[in-house]
Amino acid sequence: MGNTCFALVDCNNFYASCEKLFRPDLKYKPVVVLSNNDGCVIARSAEAKALGIKMGVPFFEIKPLVLAHQITLFSSNYALYADMSHRVMQTLEEISAEVEVYSIDEAFIDLSGVKQNFELLSYGQSIQKKIKQEVGLSIGVGIGPTKTLAKLANYAAKAYPKTGGVVDLTDRQRQIKLMKITPVEEVWGVGRQLGKRLAELNIKTAFALACIPTFEIRKRFSVVLERTVRELNGESCLRIESIIPTKKQIVCSRSFGSSVTSLDSLEQAIASHAARAGHKLRQEKQKAKYLSIFITTSRFNPKHPYYNRSQGIQFLHPTDDSRQLIQAAKHGLKSIFRANYFYAKAGVMLTDFTPNHQYQYDLFNTIDTWRNEKLMKTIDEINLKTRHTLFFASEGINEPWQMKRRFLSPQYTTQWNDLLVVKG
DNA sequence: TCTGGGGTCCTAGGACCC
DNA sequence: TCTGGGGTCCTAGGACCC
């Protein structure tokens, strides 16, 4: 203890910044990125934040503001964000061998070795400069002796613009000073529910939480929060995890562009989710033994009755064959479908995985299995090159249930046809 | 009219066993 | 009348994260 040092790097307003990068004309303009289906706000540029647009609010609520201030809207373009994320992470990996990609726009870096040889604040600033130069995005850097404190430092880097986006929180007195003015819900691992329960005990700041004896936390809450408290007090409990763990579940779900009542449409949606899930599963090089599907009506509409059911199906043998997944999903759907409901969303979940290399082929089914795998591989390869031109008949095309993306930006970085044209 | 999607981990409780 | 005490495994649900 005492020698660990971590940095948390995250991209400012990541999705909005990605969109701005390819639209220099929007440099100082408010930009908002909408969730799938253009449902609600999931990213805002600094200018949009300044206009009071909150994270997560439904799009229709901000429509007046959008018109009044000429806010530019974007439907989420995950292909673009994933590619930009990749560039950021690669640049970070040039700096350090110990990088943990924590989310699409965040990474932890192990600075334990750096600590002896560099002044940490200027080291953080140099990372910031490098990302700006090589990728074009602004980042915040928080540095601390534990991951939780690095996160807290990153929070401070955002909350206090005077820091220039880099905060070194290795000093205990600085930690205490910051924790005393930080609401407890800003602590990594404390969400809404815990925040409420802690408030009832009059624990309202990060510092108040750090002062509770660990046995007390364990008794009243959980081992998870106990670890958080230890980390706030400088005891490092979480390491850098640079090896990406294999997935334990795969979920593919979408809200519909408009509500759906027929079994036919639900079948198409479910089939296309099952096919996507199968694709992801093959990418993971795993097979699944359990599939479950769910359908649900909107929980926001009090005029229509609420209905929400799921159904699981166990396979005899683990599979990654989309046709088998689709068949099982459709079968499951039939058992939970009820007519006369306005369905808003459907999804498919795969669990209970076996890695491909561990899977024992069925003795009497080897040839078939081999042929099926070959087919799936071919489909995946073609879809990779042509952006989903091959699909299963049961998926349907251009159906009303498919999602709305009215403000989609071009695929600047991933499709040749959409490459940015620089006019001379 | 219009409210995202995809993950992980922990815990409590039931079934079952000796 | 008397009414154990652990274990393990599984699942559903709840909390968190982005």
Side-chain angles (χ1 to χ4, degrees):
Chain A
M1 184 180 144
N3 282 319
T4 54
C5 185
F6 301 92
L8 178 76
V9 169
D10 85 330
C11 301
N12 300 333
N13 318 323
F14 182 56
Y15 298 168
S17 304
C18 288
E19 298 290 355
K20 276 196 177 200
L21 207 51
F22 294 93
R23 290 285 303 277
D25 58 308
L26 298 177
K27 190 157 186 192
Y28 300 108
K29 305 270 171 62
V31 160
V32 160
V33 179
L34 301 172
S35 66
N36 277 331
N37 248 325
D38 299 334
C40 52
V41 173
I42 54 166
R44 308 147 297 155
S45 71
E47 300 81 6
K49 283 181 187 171
L51 291 172
I53 292 180
K54 298 270 181 277
M55 185 73 172
V57 297
F59 170 47
F60 66 86
E61 279 178 19
I62 61 157
K63 260 186 186 168
L65 270 177
V66 169
L67 290 172
H69 296 98
Q70 304 202 324
I71 297 171
T72 305
L73 297 169
F74 290 95
S75 300
S76 37
N77 183 346
Y78 288 102
L80 174 65
Y81 313 147
D83 186 60
M84 294 310 297
S85 171
H86 189 60
R87 295 184 193 194
V88 171
M89 300 309 170
Q90 274 191 322
T91 308
L92 292 178
E93 272 158 11
E94 287 169 21
I95 298 168
S96 167
E98 292 290 314
V99 176
E100 172 184 341
V101 178
Y102 177 66
S103 77
I104 194 160
D105 72 332
E106 278 177 79
F108 284 103
I109 304 175
D110 192 342
L111 296 185
S112 306
V114 170
K115 201 176 145 191
Q116 279 79 30
N117 308 312
F118 292 92
E119 207 277 302
L120 287 168
L121 187 67
S122 52
Y123 192 82
Q125 286 161 344
S126 71
I127 299 176
Q128 194 184 35
K129 201 169 151 195
K130 190 173 165 79
I131 298 287
K132 185 79 193 174
Q133 277 171 353
E134 296 186 15
V135 191
L137 293 169
S138 335
I139 59 166
V141 183
I143 298 167
T146 68
K147 280 180 157 184
T148 304
L149 285 168
K151 267 274 198 187
L152 196 71
N154 184 276
Y155 158 78
K158 291 218 164 17
Y160 306 99
K162 275 187 191 166
T163 61
V166 183
V167 169
D168 171 15
L169 205 59
T170 44
D171 177 68
R172 184 62 187 162
Q173 290 316 307
R174 282 200 85 192
Q175 290 165 20
I176 291 171
K177 201 175 147 196
L178 175 62
M179 286 195 288
K180 281 184 173 170
I181 55 169
T182 303
V184 70
E185 288 185 28
E186 298 296 340
V187 173
W188 189 37
V190 180
R192 285 255 292 282
Q193 298 304 314
L194 277 175
K196 219 189 288 172
R197 282 177 64 198
L198 289 166
E200 283 165 14
L201 300 169
N202 211 26
I203 300 163
K204 291 176 180 159
T205 65
F207 186 65
L209 178 61
C211 291
I212 312 291
T214 47
F215 75 89
E216 197 73 31
I217 291 288
R218 186 180 214 140
K219 200 170 68 186
R220 288 174 184 261
F221 296 91
S222 69
V223 293
V224 183
L225 195 64
E226 182 195 348
R227 200 167 54 202
T228 299
V229 169
R230 289 181 187 276
E231 288 235 322
L232 283 177
N233 288 307
E235 181 186 341
S236 178
C237 306
L238 300 164
R239 316 251 80 215
I240 292 283
E241 304 192 16
S242 42
I243 296 159
I244 300 162
T246 54
K247 286 193 193 337
K248 294 171 180 171
Q249 68 174 44
I250 287 171
V251 181
C252 289
S253 71
R254 285 276 182 284
S255 301
F256 302 133
S258 50
S259 68
V260 157
T261 50
S262 76
L263 178 60
D264 253 19
S265 296
L266 278 178
E267 267 190 353
Q268 288 178 8
I270 283 285
S272 94
H273 297 331
R276 269 195 307 135
H279 177 72
K280 285 192 198 174
L281 186 61
R282 295 189 291 274
Q283 302 291 95
E284 281 279 306
K285 302 197 190 309
Q286 302 208 78
K287 296 189 197 301
K289 209 171 172 198
Y290 195 80
L291 174 148
S292 71
I293 67 145
F294 69 88
I295 51 177
T296 180
T297 61
S298 171
R299 62 187 190 284
F300 297 107
N301 193 336
K303 286 183 194 145
H304 295 306
Y306 183 63
Y307 180 79
N308 175 9
R309 286 283 187 294
S310 67
Q311 174 69 49
I313 299 105
Q314 178 109 32
F315 294 108
L316 213 51
H317 304 287
T319 180
D320 64 1
D321 186 317
S322 285
R323 292 165 303 172
Q324 220 184 326
L325 299 175
I326 289 172
Q327 194 199 359
K330 285 165 99 174
H331 187 256
L333 174 65
K334 285 207 178 74
S335 71
I336 54 173
F337 174 78
R338 299 286 177 276
N340 303 319
Y341 284 107
F342 292 86
Y343 294 98
K345 184 176 177 177
V348 169
M349 190 190 305
L350 302 177
T351 47
D352 202 352
F353 295 164
T354 315
N356 281 350
H357 61 85
Q358 270 177 33
Y359 178 63
Q360 295 292 312
Y361 286 104
D362 185 344
L363 192 59
F364 301 105
N365 207 15
T366 319
I367 308 254
D368 256 9
T369 310
W370 180 80
R371 215 166 48 204
N372 293 344
E373 288 195 350
K374 193 101 173 137
L375 173 65
M376 287 304 129
K377 204 172 162 221
T378 308
I379 289 174
D380 289 341
E381 277 166 7
I382 292 173
N383 280 338
L384 185 69
K385 286 185 200 135
T386 60
R387 198 154 111 200
H388 203 70
T389 47
L390 268 192
F391 52 89
F392 297 89
S394 49
E395 293 179 53
I397 35 167
N398 295 328
E399 297 294 329
W401 53 267
Q402 279 165 343
M403 70 170 168
K404 290 183 215 152
R405 296 176 94 183
R406 286 166 292 178
F407 316 104
L408 187 62
S409 54
Q411 315 270 19
Y412 303 108
T413 61
T414 50
Q415 293 293 322
W416 289 109
N417 295 341
D418 290 344
L419 269 185
L420 184 61
V421 180
V422 181
K423 295 194 178 112

